[in-house]
Amino acid sequence: MMLRVAVALAWQKKRVGGMRMPSTAARAVHALKDENCPILISPSLVSLDLPDIWASNPTPHDFPSAHKCSNEQNAAIIDGKSTAEEIMSRIAFEVKRMKESIGKAPGLAVIMVGQRRDSQTYVRNKIKACGEAGIMSMMTELPDNCKEDEVLNALSRFNEDPSVHGILVQLPLPQHLDEAKILDVLSLEKDVDGFHPLNMGNLALRGREPLFIPCTPKGCIELLIRSGVEIMGKRAVVIGRSNIVGLPTSLLLQRHHATVSIIHAFTKNPEQITCEADIVITAAGVPNLVRGNWLKPGAIVIDVGTNPIEDPSCEHGYRLRGDVFYEEAVRVASLITPVPGGVGPMTIAMLLSNTLDSAKRAYDFT
Ligand SMILES: NC(=O)C1=CN([C@@H]2O[C@H](COP(=O)(O)OP(=O)(O)OC[C@H]3O[C@@H](n4cnc5c(N)ncnc54)[C@H](OP(=O)(O)O)[C@@H]3O)[C@@H](O)[C@H]2O)C=CC1
Ligand SMILES: Nc1nc(=O)c2c([nH]1)NC[C@@H]1CN(c3ccc(C(=O)N[C@@H](CCC(=O)O)C(=O)O)cc3)C=[N+]21
């Protein structure tokens, strides 16, 4: 009872803060691209200040059947790309407001070691997104064989630079570098990835609040909330337990009062566990791992997996595939994210949101 009151109050706070409230009517599902393939666009619930993210959606997940796809496709598709764009335009607005009133802009610093092609693409996308939102960005690139001290020195410079509000060390780092040692040095107040052990610890501990929530898990939850999914009391399965996705996602789902099971490479009969889940979030890095028969009919599926599959007919010689066998899952699930265009763009939007939050905190700007 107490809990429900707290959630209701948090929700009220959103209204007072000028956020748009979800209502059954406003939560309508719009068919965007074509009538047989609806894309979900829900009203903005984005909370750019940390505490609001904890508010669960009080409206249940029920989508008008008229908007379900015809034929064999049952799931509605969650459009992460346009949701991320909507969030980014809110961030751009806030950045502009900040510049106009205090003459300061948020700043994000990226440290990239080595020349992994995928890392280069992700970093390029992040920097481009910063430019579009009016966030200042700077980058230090170091060679694959650099010394640990060089990374630590770059990190210390950004830690001390008052125009930098967020620091991101692109992962994975080359084997010879001690990731834990490097993340320990990163200033807690600038840890916009939320990977610092204190931020992660606070995420795990009851009654404590992290300064930042890791971007990909935050993006997954944001997509669920915006799609009208009630997380509280649901059975959720997270596939993967990595520090950057699986683990914080399971912690965040628990914060939202889901009952969470975690599947990893040593789990026996994973399909029996996923079959019972109302919500499946998968981050294993194994293309097509989750088959249609792993899913309970009507399950909600969030696919974090971003796996390159060789395909000479594609522009870059590869295409992206999720962890979910999409063509099968779309017939069983009620809601699903595509790859690309699902969680990926949300990760970037959440990074910018965390950077803006950090700058607001640094300048005491509300
Ligand atoms: N869209 C986005 O924004 C992002 C996408 N990604 C993508 O998400 C995926 C996962 O990334 P990340 O967490 O960094 O990967 P990691 O390789 O660090 O972790 C993978 C996890 O999946 C588990 N796993 C691996 N194989 C299986 C299997 N066959 N069955 C069950 N569990 C398995 C591993 O288990 P164990 O612990 O036992 O080894 C591990 O916990 C990748 O495809 C990555 O590209 C990642 C970050 C952001
Ligand atoms: N310190 C750190 N923080 C991270 O957040 C981090 C990281 N290291 N290392 C690697 C992973 C991976 N990651 C992605 C971000 C965006 C997309 C993304 O935008 N994907 C697009 C497609 C992009 C493309 O076309 O290649 C999509 O799914 O639609 C994907 C993956 C962040 N990561």
Side-chain angles (χ1 to χ4, degrees), residues 167-180:
I167 305 172
L168 183 148
V169 181
Q170 185 68 20
L171 300 175
L173 289 167
Q175 285 281 321
H176 69 283
L177 298 174
D178 184 345
E179 183 183 307

Side-chain angles (χ1 to χ4, degrees), residues 191-262:
D191 173 37
V192 283
D193 258 333
F195 297 161
H196 190 286
L198 257 177
N199 271 325
M200 200 65 85
N202 284 337
L203 182 64
L205 293 172
R206 244 193 139 94
R208 288 181 183 254
E209 299 293 328
L211 285 174
F212 301 100
I213 301 168
C215 304
T216 304
K218 189 174 173 182
C220 293
I221 300 294
E222 192 68 39
L223 284 179
L224 289 173
I225 293 175
R226 284 166 159 262
S227 306
V229 175
E230 184 167 70
I231 301 171
M232 193 187 301
K234 292 287 175 350
R235 281 187 188 202
V237 160
V238 179
I239 308 183
R241 55 175 170 178
S242 70
N243 288 350
I244 77 167
V245 192
L247 173 69
T249 300
S250 64
L251 296 173
L252 205 44
L253 282 166
Q254 284 195 68
R255 285 240 178 190
H256 283 265
H257 312 297
T259 302
V260 184
S261 303
I262 295 152

Side-chain angles (χ1 to χ4, degrees), residues 116 118 122 172 195 215-217 238-247 262-267 270 282-287 289 294 303-308 321-323 339 342-348:
R116 277 178 64 122
D118 57 344
Y122 299 141
F195 297 161
C215 304
T216 304
V238 179
I239 308 183
R241 55 175 170 178
S242 70
N243 288 350
I244 77 167
V245 192
L247 173 69
I262 295 152
I263 289 175
H264 48 74
F266 298 92
T267 303
T282 172
V286 180
L289 175 71
W294 285 38
D303 191 353
V304 179
T306 312
N307 308 298
R321 188 82 191 164
D323 289 347
V339 177
V343 176
M346 289 296 285
T347 297
I348 296 179

